[in-house]
Amino acid sequence: MKPGLRLKSLTPDAPLVEVQFGGEALMLPEGENLAAALLAAGIDGFRQTPYQGVARAPYCMMGICFDCLLEVDGVSQQSCMVQVRAGMDLRPARQRREGPYASL
């Protein structure tokens, strides 16, 4: 995240709950949009592209682009469509190479 960039919380009085992101504990506001909360916490790489491994982060924030894809409690989900809840286990989405790039 760029220095000085601050995202305003839509739920400033929400209690903070602990989630795990890639094995590290984070405190996020309960009920907040997961993608927005992770961006506000300084997480700027949510997944990598299957072909070249380029880091991706939320783009559209409305469920169209899939750039915010994460494994949430073992299930691949678009993080912009999920609310923060206590105890979430978050990991970058595992993606297989498919199509003409599968053998690269």
Side-chain angles (χ1 to χ4, degrees):
M1 181 173 287
K2 294 180 181 179
L5 179 62
R6 295 184 185 266
L7 300 176
K8 182 178 176 183
S9 175
L10 298 176
T11 52
D13 297 328
L16 296 178
V17 295
E18 184 175 310
V19 302
Q20 296 288 318
F21 184 83
E24 294 191 33
L26 290 175
M27 299 300 289
L28 301 178
E30 187 172 35
E32 186 77 72
N33 176 282
L34 179 57
L38 289 171
L39 286 171
I43 305 296
D44 57 7
F46 283 45
R47 69 176 186 93
Q48 294 182 330
T49 59
Y51 173 53
Q52 294 184 331
V54 177
R56 304 300 295 175
Y59 179 69
C60 74
M61 295 296 286
M62 62 182 185
I64 303 295
C65 73
F66 287 84
D67 279 345
C68 67
L69 199 63
L70 288 177
E71 274 191 26
V72 179
D73 297 326
V75 177
S76 289
Q77 295 185 342
Q78 294 161 279
S79 61
C80 70
M81 305 300 288
V82 176
Q83 289 183 312
V84 174
R85 67 183 187 295
M88 298 175 102
D89 181 24
L90 310 169
R91 299 176 185 280
R94 290 179 284 169
Q95 295 178 286
R96 294 182 315 141
R97 293 181 179 170
E98 297 179 1
Y101 307 116
S103 62
L104 299 177

